Amino acid sequence: MNTSRSVTKTVTIDRPPDEVFAFLADPANWPRWAVVNVRSVEPTEDPQWWRMSTPQGPARLRIRPHAALGVLDHDYLDDTASWQVPARVVPNGTGADFMITFFRPPTLSDEDFLRQTALVDTELATLKDVLERPRP
């Protein structure tokens, strides 16, 4: 196995880390912020897996949370590929940093990989907006 190209994206969110973690750990919230890659989600018969509608077609998502460590690693499966995505919520003063790392699949060129990961910037900006928006 060779070392893959990777990209880590980070966003600082002015909300308590436990609130950021709880929001991200619930797959039902993903269509609210992962606006480029997730159109909808619904639970499956297996409580660990969620069915997703994506621009590439149907997929499945499993989050493997560990609240004490801020771990939100998740598994993604679709008809053509599967991969693991490491993600963390890290306390940053009274707020939090959310970090997510993507590894280039062997089937994707460097150019396509960088183009796809650049789209995540939109999602992280949306996440920040959703969580920092004043609550009624």
Side-chain angles (χ1 to χ4, degrees), residues 12-20 89 91-97 127-128 130-135:
T12 299
I13 302 169
D14 191 18
R15 299 294 304 163
D18 59 331
E19 290 181 22
V20 174
V89 173
N92 180 352
T94 58
D97 286 344
L127 175 65
K128 179 178 180 67
V130 166
L131 290 176
E132 291 183 352
R133 189 176 303 143
R135 290 169 170 72

Side-chain angles (χ1 to χ4, degrees), residues 25-42:
D26 182 353
N29 290 325
W30 283 43
R32 292 179 57 196
W33 69 272
V35 295
V36 174
N37 292 301
V38 180
R39 292 182 176 151
S40 66
V41 295
E42 62 183 48

Side-chain angles (χ1 to χ4, degrees), residues 106-136:
T107 57
L108 213 56
S109 71
D110 274 347
E111 296 78 22
D112 287 340
F113 176 67
L114 292 175
R115 191 171 23 262
Q116 288 295 319
T117 56
L119 296 172
V120 175
D121 295 336
T122 299
E123 295 183 332
L124 295 182
T126 302
L127 175 65
K128 179 178 180 67
D129 180 61
V130 166
L131 290 176
E132 291 183 352
R133 189 176 303 143
R135 290 169 170 72

Side-chain angles (χ1 to χ4, degrees), residues 21 24-25 63-66 70-74 85-89 98:
F21 183 89
L24 289 166
I63 300 174
R64 294 176 282 115
H66 189 294
V71 173
L72 286 166
D73 292 357
H74 51 282
V85 181
R88 303 289 183 274
V89 173
F98 175 58

Side-chain angles (χ1 to χ4, degrees), residues 28-85:
N29 290 325
W30 283 43
R32 292 179 57 196
W33 69 272
V35 295
V36 174
N37 292 301
V38 180
R39 292 182 176 151
S40 66
V41 295
E42 62 183 48
T44 67
E45 308 75 43
D46 181 342
Q48 291 187 10
W49 287 94
W50 287 68
R51 193 173 347 313
M52 296 189 323
S53 172
T54 75
Q56 290 76 36
R60 294 191 321 145
L61 171 73
R62 174 177 60 185
I63 300 174
R64 294 176 282 115
H66 189 294
L69 298 177
V71 173
L72 286 166
D73 292 357
H74 51 282
D75 302 311
Y76 175 89
L77 300 170
D78 69 19
D79 291 340
T80 63
S82 68
W83 55 90
Q84 295 179 335
V85 181

